Amino acid sequence: MKASLLNVFSMSLVASSAASDLFANSEFPTRMVENRPGYNSWPMVQALDGGRVVCAYSSGKGHSTGEGSRGAFARVSDDGGASWGEPVCVADSPEWGECVVGKGLDASGAMLLWVRRQGAGGWDTGTFHGLYRSSDGLVWERVASPSLDPEPIQITDVLRLPGGVLMSLWFAGNYCDDARNAWGTLMSRDNGSTWEQHTVELGMSKSEWPTEPSAVVLPDGRILAVTRTEICHAGQLQLLSNDGGASWTKHRTNITDVNASTPSLVFDPATGLLSCYYYERGPGLLKRRVAKAADIAANPMAWPVPEILAQGGKVRPHDSGNANSTSSGGRHFVAWYSGDPVNAAVLVTSAPQPTP
């Protein structure tokens, strides 16, 4: 696809109440979801039946996951992302920092949201996850608090597998070359009430450690995932399972325009097209690559060139990014954030669903 820079997002717009109007006429409109004072970040976005889109995110004072002032919130849009309702609280305890880390749908179509709680001690102390459910994005209840070993850094988006099984991928470690680097699956056969943990790999080098994966189920039942890599400009990793998540192969991709960039996949079964959204930190570019899912499953090095959807902040690379996507009404919605070490805004960009 031809790359074109259609949105220029300057940091002066982060604090502007009129910022959402400045993107309204673009092919890829970007709207402000949350810009309260502080560090609003790491969003998740999910479409519900009826056209409602829910954006969940975390708000705190700065780029810190364990601060007690950090909580998890959500807003909903019923007009295709043009406007967003008032924030509602998902989880906000004074002693923990809460971050949304994965989203999806249960068997009935209600939204599921993984929320990580973390104390000020960091990854090695006081970290655990809870699963929340909402039928409308406005009222949330916690439905599971699994005891896990190893305790993940993050549990990612929920997939619905054949036979009513729910699955999330997870990863654990400490962002170094460490024997604790691990990843695997969580499976639920009771619609999210209980979860069974499986470890796929343990003790990987940092370069081979698949972090922040995004997965889709293909028509033939295979599960394909693309993951972040913690090595700047190394190709993102691609995972493939032919047996419902029991075993996996791992290959490097040609998606190298990355800097700790989180991928997010949307698969369209009607066209067979797979869209991979990600944010290149540094240049501050929100991008997508689109390929035939069957082709890319067979050849992970064949991802086409990216299309540029929007531009975010460049003050400090890791204070912007974390794309997360969903599909509704013939469009894809991509949540991301942009800012500096103490102020950041949550945004959602929408794009037409790709056609062959």
Side-chain angles (χ1 to χ4, degrees):
M1 291 188 178
K2 182 180 179 181
S4 60
L5 185 58
L6 296 179
N7 291 334
V8 179
F9 181 83
S10 71
M11 290 317 301
S12 63
L13 297 181
V14 170
S16 170
S17 62
S20 60
D21 297 333
L22 301 179
F23 302 97
N25 296 323
S26 170
E27 181 186 1
F28 304 131
T30 297
R31 303 300 179 91
M32 195 76 73
V33 177
E34 180 62 87
N35 67 336
R36 72 175 78 180
Y39 200 87
N40 308 292
S41 53
W42 311 312
M44 299 279 149
V45 63
Q46 178 64 57
L48 301 179
D49 289 342
R52 173 167 287 183
V53 180
V54 183
C55 182
Y57 55 91
S58 186
S59 290
K61 292 182 178 179
H63 193 152
S64 172
T65 57
E67 58 185 2
S69 60
R70 176 166 295 283
F73 302 89
R75 292 180 185 245
V76 304
S77 175
D78 291 316
D79 55 10
S83 63
W84 295 85
E86 292 298 311
V88 297
C89 180
V90 180
D92 188 16
S93 59
E95 68 271 28
W96 299 100
E98 286 100 347
C99 296
V100 296
V101 293
K103 60 90 202 280
L105 299 173
D106 73 2
S108 68
M111 183 173 172
L112 296 173
L113 192 65
W114 285 110
V115 175
R116 180 184 65 220
R117 276 191 168 93
Q118 188 177 67
W123 303 118
D124 293 328
T125 58
T127 300
F128 59 97
H129 292 77
L131 184 68
Y132 290 76
R133 176 183 286 126
S134 176
S135 61
D136 58 6
L138 299 174
V139 179
W140 296 86
E141 63 170 344
R142 188 164 65 178
V143 296
S145 300
S147 178
L148 304 172
D149 185 16
E151 181 64 42
I153 289 175
Q154 186 171 331
I155 303 171
T156 58
D157 289 354
V158 180
L159 286 181
R160 294 190 292 191
L161 303 185
V165 177
L166 302 180
M167 186 197 82
S168 287
L169 295 171
W170 60 267
F171 68 98
N174 69 348
Y175 293 99
C176 298
D177 291 318
D178 194 282
R180 291 174 293 177
N181 289 346
W183 71 277
T185 63
L186 285 173
M187 300 284 190
S188 175
R189 291 173 172 80
D190 55 10
N191 204 30
S193 295
T194 60
W195 294 83
E196 182 179 294
Q197 184 180 24
H198 301 275
T199 299
V200 177
E201 281 189 289
L202 178 65
M204 294 150 289
S205 66
K206 185 177 177 180
S207 64
E208 293 300 318
W209 185 36
T211 61
E212 304 199 9
S214 176
V216 295
V217 181
L218 303 182
D220 59 7
R222 291 183 297 170
I223 305 169
L224 186 149
V226 175
T227 87
R228 169 170 145 169
T229 176
E230 300 304 323
I231 306 299
C232 185
H233 301 308
Q236 290 184 328
L237 296 167
Q238 187 165 300
L239 312 174
L240 186 67
S241 176
N242 297 315
D243 54 12
S247 62
W248 298 79
T249 57
K250 181 174 65 179
H251 297 281
R252 191 73 62 180
T253 73
N254 63 328
I255 304 176
T256 59
D257 50 335
V258 292
N259 178 9
S261 301
T262 303
S264 186
L265 301 180
V266 178
F267 175 64
D268 180 7
T271 62
L273 293 178
L274 181 64
S275 299
C276 180
Y277 293 91
Y278 59 101
Y279 183 96
E280 185 182 1
R281 286 167 155 164
L285 300 175
L286 180 66
K287 300 181 176 182
R288 79 171 167 190
R289 299 189 187 217
V290 181
K292 278 282 189 180
D295 295 342
I296 215 66
N299 187 359
M301 296 294 289
W303 281 94
V305 297
E307 181 178 18
I308 300 172
L309 307 185
Q311 180 159 16
K314 297 184 284 185
V315 174
R316 192 173 72 167
H318 286 66
D319 290 315
S320 303
N322 286 76
N324 186 262
S325 58
T326 192
S327 178
S328 179
R331 297 188 70 86
H332 291 173
F333 295 85
V334 190
W336 51 291
Y337 79 104
S338 184
D340 60 37
V342 294
N343 288 289
V346 172
L347 305 109
V348 169
T349 296
S350 70
Q353 185 170 292
T355 56

